[in-house]
Amino acid sequence: MVKASIIKSSLVRDAMLRVDRKHYIPNKNVLDDEIAYMDSPQRIGYNVTISAPHMHAFALEILKDHLVKGNRALDVGSGSGYLVACMAQMVGDSGKVIGLEYIPQLAKHSQECLSTETGLVYEMYKNKNLQIHEGDGWKGYESEAPYHAMHVGAAAATIPDMLIQQLANNGRLVVPVGPEGGSQELMVIDKDADGNIKKTSAMGVMYVPLVNPSKSK
Ligand code: SAH
């Protein structure tokens, strides 16, 4: 990905090198080691995939100036927990990273992966500067807001208002927006120092939907 200029910064490269993707894929789904390092999504159960590494790299590149030491980040639809661990590497133990996942078993899976990490990620998990919560991404996670960097790993039909509310001034939210299976755009939402919002589209994408848990149950 560095050679292909998908990863452009050493910060993102170092973060992704330090988090072993294999660790976030359940054993039975990785029959041979190489699969874990292929640039494609992999099944992690509950009809969910860990995103392809290039999607994680894109997200971290877009957010890198907001994932500096000491900052706060929220990953909505945190799934495997891989991206949360990368974000933690970037903001360090003076920062805070929250993962939000609505499937309880996946929240638990990612917690188990994080609790058996090593180094900074493990330290941050242990001292609660890295947390995974079960909850509805449409609502965000108010009690740790505001966040300087926010990422949504599933496509929202419209930009979730509550996520914009929880964005810090000078913060950035990256969220795929569009209908399920239809034309979706990876939207980058910047809030300036006065709280004004600017929206731009980074590229066309295809994500699974950010579900409305109250309707799907
Ligand atoms: N980026 C993650 C997972 C991406 S898949 C990874 O690479 O591991 C999208 C995730 O969003 C799934 O885990 C799905 O369960 C979750 N999700 C979908 N709708 C959600 C919602 N309303 N609130 C929280 N999580 C949601």
Side-chain angles (χ1 to χ4, degrees):
M1 288 196 286
V2 171
K3 279 188 199 142
S5 296
I6 295 167
I7 294 180
K8 298 186 179 75
S9 67
S10 56
L11 279 175
V12 173
R13 184 198 60 199
D14 291 350
M16 289 188 72
L17 274 176
R18 284 192 193 119
V19 184
D20 188 345
R21 188 168 185 260
K22 187 183 170 204
H23 191 65
Y24 293 83
I25 303 175
N27 284 341
K28 62 177 174 9
N29 296 358
V30 188
L31 298 173
D32 84 76
D33 276 13
E34 275 180 33
I35 289 175
Y37 308 114
M38 277 169 33
D39 193 15
S40 61
Q42 300 296 337
R43 294 192 176 284
I44 53 171
Y46 312 98
N47 227 3
V48 169
T49 53
I50 180 173
S51 305
H54 73 269
M55 290 312 295
H56 286 150
F58 272 134
L60 293 172
E61 283 287 342
I62 294 175
L63 286 169
K64 70 171 184 301
D65 294 340
H66 303 271
L67 288 169
V68 295
K69 297 271 176 261
N71 270 6
R72 306 167 74 81
L74 177 72
D75 184 28
V76 170
S78 49
S80 63
Y82 178 87
L83 197 65
V84 178
C86 292
M87 288 173 153
Q89 283 288 350
M90 292 172 77
V91 301
D93 51 12
S94 57
K96 195 153 202 178
V97 182
I98 307 290
L100 193 57
E101 170 58 53
Y102 92 103
I103 299 180
Q105 296 91 332
L106 274 182
K108 191 160 171 281
H109 162 73
S110 59
Q111 283 165 344
E112 278 163 12
C113 295
L114 293 162
S115 69
T116 52
E117 262 289 356
T118 54
L120 177 67
V121 175
Y122 174 70
E123 287 302 321
M124 287 180 66
Y125 182 75
K126 206 175 61 173
N127 65 26
K128 297 195 165 49
N129 282 332
L130 196 183
Q131 302 172 13
I132 302 283
H133 293 278
E134 186 194 322
D136 178 10
W138 283 97
K139 301 192 174 120
Y141 194 75
E142 180 99 59
S143 61
E144 296 287 353
Y147 303 97
H148 306 97
M150 300 171 89
H151 172 259
V152 184
T158 56
I159 298 170
D161 279 343
M162 291 182 82
L163 297 188
I164 294 187
Q165 283 168 27
Q166 292 171 27
L167 190 60
N169 285 0
N170 295 318
R172 173 171 277 189
L173 160 66
V174 179
V175 52
V177 180
E180 179 174 2
S183 161
Q184 302 171 356
E185 300 282 329
L186 190 64
M187 297 301 297
V188 177
I189 291 139
D190 288 310
K191 195 181 262 191
D192 71 14
D194 300 319
N196 301 311
I197 296 293
K198 195 181 100 198
K199 303 173 190 172
T200 44
S201 169
M203 57 183 161
V205 287
M206 205 188 307
Y207 280 76
V208 297
L210 185 71
V211 302
N212 187 332
S214 56
K215 279 190 193 159
S216 68
K217 269 178 189 163

